[in-house]
Amino acid sequence: FAVQSGTSGTDQLAVPAMIIDANSRISLSNNDSGAQNTIFGKSAGNLLTSGCDENVIIGDLAMDAADGTESYNVCIGSGAMGAVDEGSNEANSNVAIGAGALTGGIVGSSSLSGNIAIGAFALDATSTNPLIGTIAIGYSALGALTSGANNVAMGYQAMSTATTALNSVSIGRWSMKNVKAAVAADGCIAIGASSLYGNSSNDTTIGGSIAIGSASLYALQTGIGNIGIGYTSLTALTTGVGNTAVGYAAMATNVDGSYNTAVGYESLYTFEADTANHGQNTGVGYQSGKFISTGTGNTFLGYKSGLGITGTPLLGNGNTTVGQEAGLLLQGAAAGNTLLGSNAGVAITTGT
């Protein structure tokens, strides 16, 4: 069947505007074996049988393997939900919009239901694995996920290399983009461009990490329970446990220290542990403890409390400063000082 582009005379010999051949599939609830399906595209819904009902299938090879009772799905795009076959269970109520979105295989004894994949190649590695209620929005979002569950990824290539992530939320371009396949990324939250970006070669476990802000926890490879909230907070951390950084560039240069808390703009900004997992520092306030280097067990509370200087960063341990600009110039080997009150010990540099 062909519809010509012309209407009369020699125009009838023009190139056809539309050709429908044996591979073309058009059904408005009246031309397939199921009920109330809408189908348009080459080989779209090609194997639908009685019981495959109320699907919307638009695009070349979209939902081309469904042959049981797959129902209530929306597939728009070339190959959307391609190769998905419910097997002995179900593949129902999914939304796949975009070329190659939510492609799969024979689901078998598990279920592929209630998932949303919007964007070219979003959630396209499900194969025969079960997935329920997973959301992937953006080009290649969750593009490698196989057996992971209960994840939400929104953004260009968000969580695109993770295969077994669980219970995680990734929002923003490249958020959790490079988390290594098979890594235990359980209960992570990444919100912001390149937040919790990861390393596809070295990650081991990053469970329970929270990164909110562009490039926060960008480099994390190993360590649970780290929290970075604010632009570039904890951005350099690769290996560490139990660090909390809240504020613009808070604890931004810490690579492998642990058990530190920095709250405030550039708090503990230059800290880097002398030995992996050392730390136990606390800074609360604008630029509190900003120029600490390898010191451990220090506490700085207040505006510029324990600020230090850039040329001779603080190496000492066990200092406590409480108050605005208390211990303002502590530096070098200064250790064991207790300074309480606004401007307390403001002139002390390397004392103990």
Side-chain angles (χ1 to χ4, degrees):
F1 174 76
V3 177
Q4 304 292 133
S5 59
T7 57
S8 64
T10 57
D11 286 344
Q12 290 290 332
L13 301 178
V15 176
M18 182 173 69
I19 298 177
I20 300 175
D21 60 18
N23 293 317
S24 301
R25 295 277 290 166
I26 298 177
S27 175
L28 302 176
S29 303
N30 63 353
N31 189 33
D32 62 89
S33 297
Q36 296 177 281
N37 294 298
T38 299
I39 304 171
F40 191 97
K42 178 189 173 187
S43 298
N46 198 41
L47 302 179
L48 291 187
T49 60
S50 177
C52 292
D53 302 330
E54 299 184 55
N55 298 289
V56 175
I57 308 169
I58 300 174
D60 178 44
L61 297 173
M63 203 172 162
D64 62 330
D67 61 358
T69 60
E70 297 89 345
S71 299
Y72 318 117
N73 298 288
V74 176
C75 310
I76 302 175
S78 176
M81 274 189 76
V84 171
D85 181 346
E86 70 177 9
S88 59
N89 205 282
E90 65 177 39
N92 298 334
S93 305
N94 297 288
V95 175
I97 301 175
L102 197 57
T103 53
I106 300 175
V107 180
S109 60
S110 51
S111 177
L112 184 76
S113 296
N115 301 290
I116 298 174
I118 300 176
F121 312 113
L123 207 58
D124 68 338
T126 59
S127 186
T128 61
N129 294 287
L131 279 180
I132 299 176
T134 295
I135 298 173
I137 300 175
Y139 172 83
S140 198
L142 283 172
L145 191 72
T146 54
S147 58
N150 306 322
N151 298 291
V152 175
M154 300 174 64
Y156 177 86
Q157 294 187 331
M159 222 187 305
S160 60
T161 60
T163 59
T164 58
L166 298 167
N167 310 310
S168 293
V169 175
S170 172
I171 301 175
R173 181 179 186 264
W174 288 349
S175 56
M176 292 185 72
K177 175 188 183 296
N178 227 17
V179 172
K180 185 181 177 182
V183 164
D186 189 354
C188 295
I189 297 174
I191 300 176
S194 298
S195 56
L196 201 56
Y197 183 87
N199 184 311
S200 61
S201 298
N202 301 314
D203 291 349
T204 55
T205 179
I206 56 174
S209 297
I210 298 175
I212 300 176
S214 179
S216 55
L217 280 172
Y218 177 89
L220 187 65
Q221 298 175 14
T222 302
I224 61 174
N226 293 289
I227 299 174
I229 301 176
Y231 174 78
T232 69
S233 56
L234 280 172
T235 191
L237 188 71
T238 59
T239 304
V241 176
N243 294 289
T244 299
V246 180
Y248 175 96
M251 222 187 310
T253 62
N254 179 23
V255 174
D256 54 7
S258 295
Y259 316 116
N260 300 283
T261 300
V263 179
Y265 177 98
E266 292 184 343
S267 177
L268 301 184
Y269 177 76
T270 63
F271 170 72
E272 163 50 10
D274 56 348
T275 303
N277 291 321
H278 277 196
Q280 301 86 46
N281 295 293
T282 300
V284 178
Y286 175 89
Q287 292 187 336
S288 54
K290 176 179 179 178
F291 294 114
I292 186 175
S293 177
T294 59
T296 61
N298 296 286
T299 301
F300 310 110
L301 304 179
Y303 170 86
K304 290 189 177 181
S305 179
L307 173 69
I309 63 173
T310 185
T312 310
L314 181 64
L315 309 176
N317 305 325
N319 295 287
T320 300
T321 64
V322 179
Q324 175 180 308
E325 296 187 351
L328 180 68
L329 301 178
L330 288 179
Q331 58 193 266
N337 294 285
T338 299
L339 307 170
L340 306 178
S342 179
N343 296 306
V346 71
I348 295 174
T349 55
T350 59
T352 57

